[in-house]
Amino acid sequence: MSTEADPVLDELSTLVFEMTRRLRNDFNVSAAELNLPPTQALALMCLVAPASMRELATRLSCEPSNVTAIVDGLERRGLVTRELDPSDRRIKQVTLTGEGKRHRTKLGSHNKAKVAAVFNLSAPDRSQLRDLLSRALGDSSRSTSDSSESRPAPQ
């Protein structure tokens, strides 16, 4: 691949970083609406199933020692519990409580409208953008032929 300056690549990089910044800021606003620090809100969204502290650290892209403070805060709020892993009692799993599941659902709902505003495109354009980003990321599980359900049927 050429290392020469490519203005399109420069613009793509700028646009993707700007999109990421907007999405992150909107997520943080959604978290604040529920009185959650962004890291705790992100941890809630990562807990689709019970996870060990190490697994949660991997999902959050941080050191396991940092997860302790995040989980402590969630536990104080009654949003998670730490339970022994039934297959290895040396490991504690972080599990959402009923209240944690409700907060997770609210957070997703609050953020959904903000995401829709950021991606204010027609349905076919959103599908095309999704497919292009998936392809750029090397996600072979999503190809344009797999997304026919999100495209309008030919008239």
Side-chain angles (χ1 to χ4, degrees):
M1 186 162 220
S2 173
T3 58
E4 294 178 32
D6 183 342
V8 173
L9 284 177
D10 291 343
E11 190 173 359
L12 277 170
S13 176
T14 299
L15 289 168
V16 168
F17 275 108
E18 176 60 18
M19 183 64 70
T20 302
R21 185 193 66 74
R22 285 186 190 179
L23 290 169
R24 184 185 61 240
N25 287 346
D26 286 348
F27 179 82
N28 291 349
V29 167
S30 294
E33 289 169 356
L34 294 172
N35 297 315
L36 287 169
T39 54
Q40 288 182 13
L42 189 56
L44 279 181
M45 296 308 291
C46 288
L47 284 170
V48 293
S52 70
M53 299 283 272
R54 184 168 300 282
E55 288 173 87
L56 189 54
T58 299
R59 292 177 193 169
L60 293 171
S61 299
C62 69
E63 293 296 317
S65 59
N66 295 339
V67 173
T68 301
I70 296 168
V71 172
D72 286 348
L74 290 169
E75 199 169 38
R76 276 191 300 276
R77 293 169 175 264
L79 303 176
V80 300
T81 59
R82 293 178 191 159
E83 301 171 356
L84 292 175
D85 183 330
S87 63
D88 186 344
R89 297 181 56 81
R90 297 170 295 174
I91 298 173
K92 290 206 175 174
Q93 289 190 324
V94 182
T95 304
L96 289 176
T97 62
E99 189 62 22
K101 290 175 185 173
R102 283 187 286 283
H103 267 67
R104 186 177 187 283
T105 299
K106 284 182 198 173
L107 182 58
S109 295
H110 284 220
N111 201 47
K112 189 174 279 190
K114 291 174 177 61
V115 169
V118 169
F119 291 105
N120 187 18
L121 302 167
S122 68
D125 284 349
R126 280 195 309 266
S127 293
Q128 183 178 18
L129 178 58
R130 181 210 51 218
D131 293 345
L132 288 169
L133 289 171
S134 290
R135 201 166 60 199
L137 291 169
D139 184 355
S140 61
S141 68
R142 282 190 187 260
S143 67
T144 53
S145 62
D146 292 340
S147 59
S148 60
E149 66 196 33
S150 58
R151 288 198 196 112
Q155 298 294 319

